[in-house]
Amino acid sequence: MDPITKGMQGPAVEDIQTRLIGLGYTIDEQEYAQKLYGDTTARAVASFRVTSGLDALGDVDIICWSALVDASYKLGDRTLYLRLPNFHGADVVALQQALNALGFGCGDVDGYFGPHTENALQQFQENVGLFADGMAFQDTFRYIDRLRHVWEGKPSVLEAEERTGFARAANVLEHYRIAVSGQDAIARNIASRMWNIASATTENSGMVLSEGEAPEGMDLVLELASDELPENAEPRPTLTLAQCNNLSKRISTAFEAAASKPAHLRIELTGLTCYNGTFTSSDAQTLAVRILDGVCAALSD
């Protein structure tokens, strides 16, 4: 395209001005009304170019135009998914920032929807109970927006487990009502150990060991399972423990994302348990401590 320069007038100028105003730049009202590329438009363009790492010129060339379009996208303006060439823009930046801050690491925030972003998005969707297809439609954006108070302006969560101190764990267990159950023999073993540890931590523990339907009045219902959900099952908030290095943040995200209480979360132990004689009582205790620690850290934020 030919550069759009000072003195020009028309729909292309109006589009540039509208995008700049949307990004917070100031355009003279008369210039905007006349669709005129005047002094304030030129200054806004120059300022935008500097912010975007371009030469401080007052013209809009093809490179500046592309950067302006990218910067104008807001999260939810379009469906995002993995394709070639990759989607790129401010909406992808916002999605990456949200995923990283919520504990679903997608790597550097570079504004390009690549395979790492797709993988992180799939894990987030699974975590909140959406169909984990790695495509960001409006249902995904609604959950991201619902969790805005959790991620906006927050740093990325490091891929590391958080350990919970005794006093903080006791406070959580006394404040929240948590039901835990197991869907198979090993999962029930781990759930039982979680209840034992919680009861040993404080005599006023609100954790209950349930079979079948959870008791009324719960804040959080945890379902442990050694296997994945069947392919024909309805999606539900799910966390795959083997793929998770920041358990507390994943649990916190599922808890905050729940539309109503109690929040439900299925924790799959796939790949960590088996019936071939290699899974020991020590392994069960380690997983029980890890999951309970993650729950207490998540609910103490």
Side-chain angles (χ1 to χ4, degrees):
M1 69 179 251
D2 294 329
I4 302 172
T5 62
K6 188 175 178 181
M8 288 184 172
Q9 195 170 9
V13 174
E14 181 184 28
D15 188 72
I16 291 169
Q17 292 170 328
T18 300
R19 292 180 185 276
L20 289 168
I21 291 171
L23 293 171
Y25 294 93
T26 301
I27 304 292
D28 179 76
E29 291 183 6
Q30 188 172 359
E31 278 185 34
Y32 184 67
Q34 296 177 352
K35 305 175 187 177
L36 174 64
Y37 200 126
D39 291 337
T40 62
T41 302
R43 285 196 293 270
V45 168
S47 180
F48 171 77
R49 291 180 65 104
V50 171
T51 301
S52 302
L54 305 174
D55 293 336
L57 305 175
D59 300 343
V60 177
D61 54 16
I62 185 62
I63 296 176
C64 179
W65 171 253
S66 297
L68 185 57
V69 171
D70 275 358
S72 300
Y73 284 119
K74 294 181 174 59
L75 193 61
D77 282 352
R78 54 183 177 167
T79 298
L80 297 173
Y81 54 92
L82 185 62
R83 68 163 197 185
L84 291 175
N86 295 155
F87 281 110
H88 54 90
D91 53 344
V92 181
V93 168
L95 177 63
Q96 291 174 327
Q97 289 172 336
L99 291 172
N100 277 342
L102 290 170
F104 303 87
C106 55
D108 293 336
V109 177
D110 58 6
Y112 284 82
F113 194 106
H116 294 303
T117 302
E118 179 192 44
N119 182 63
L121 177 60
Q122 288 174 321
Q123 292 186 34
F124 170 77
Q125 290 171 324
E126 183 180 55
N127 196 210
V128 299
L130 294 174
F131 183 59
D133 57 3
M135 300 179 71
F137 293 103
Q138 289 304 315
D139 56 354
T140 299
F141 296 135
R142 281 193 290 271
Y143 272 99
I144 293 287
D145 191 60
R146 184 186 298 170
L147 295 166
R148 187 173 294 274
H149 67 289
V150 179
W151 64 263
E152 192 167 45
K154 305 295 176 57
S156 298
V157 176
L158 297 177
E159 292 285 335
E161 294 287 328
E162 180 179 356
R163 307 302 296 176
T164 308
F166 178 85
R168 189 165 64 147
N171 181 64
V172 169
L173 292 169
E174 291 170 1
H175 183 74
Y176 289 95
R177 296 275 292 167
I178 305 166
V180 58
S181 65
Q183 299 303 299
D184 54 81
I186 288 182
R188 286 192 291 272
N189 185 340
I190 295 169
S192 177
R193 289 171 183 272
M194 288 175 61
W195 179 83
N196 284 333
I197 297 167
S199 300
T201 301
T202 171
E203 61 183 14
N204 297 317
S205 171
M207 177 167 280
V208 297
L209 189 62
S210 66
E211 296 183 9
E213 292 293 325
E216 294 185 0
M218 296 292 104
D219 298 297
L220 175 63
V221 176
L222 298 173
E223 173 189 305
L224 309 186
S226 295
D227 299 317
E228 298 178 357
L229 277 172
E231 290 187 3
N232 60 351
E234 287 293 322
R236 67 180 75 171
T238 301
L239 186 157
T240 304
L241 195 60
Q243 299 174 357
C244 181
N245 293 321
N246 39 43
L247 181 59
S248 65
K249 200 61 183 179
R250 301 288 181 92
I251 295 172
S252 175
T253 295
F255 185 77
E256 293 287 344
S260 61
K261 295 295 184 286
H264 288 257
L265 179 61
R266 176 183 173 89
I267 299 180
E268 293 183 350
L269 312 173
T270 315
L272 299 176
T273 61
C274 55
Y275 294 95
N276 62 4
T278 62
F279 188 79
T280 66
S281 59
S282 176
D283 294 327
Q285 185 74 2
T286 297
L287 286 178
V289 170
R290 181 185 174 193
I291 297 170
L292 183 61
D293 212 44
V295 169
C296 291
L299 299 183
S300 66
D301 290 342

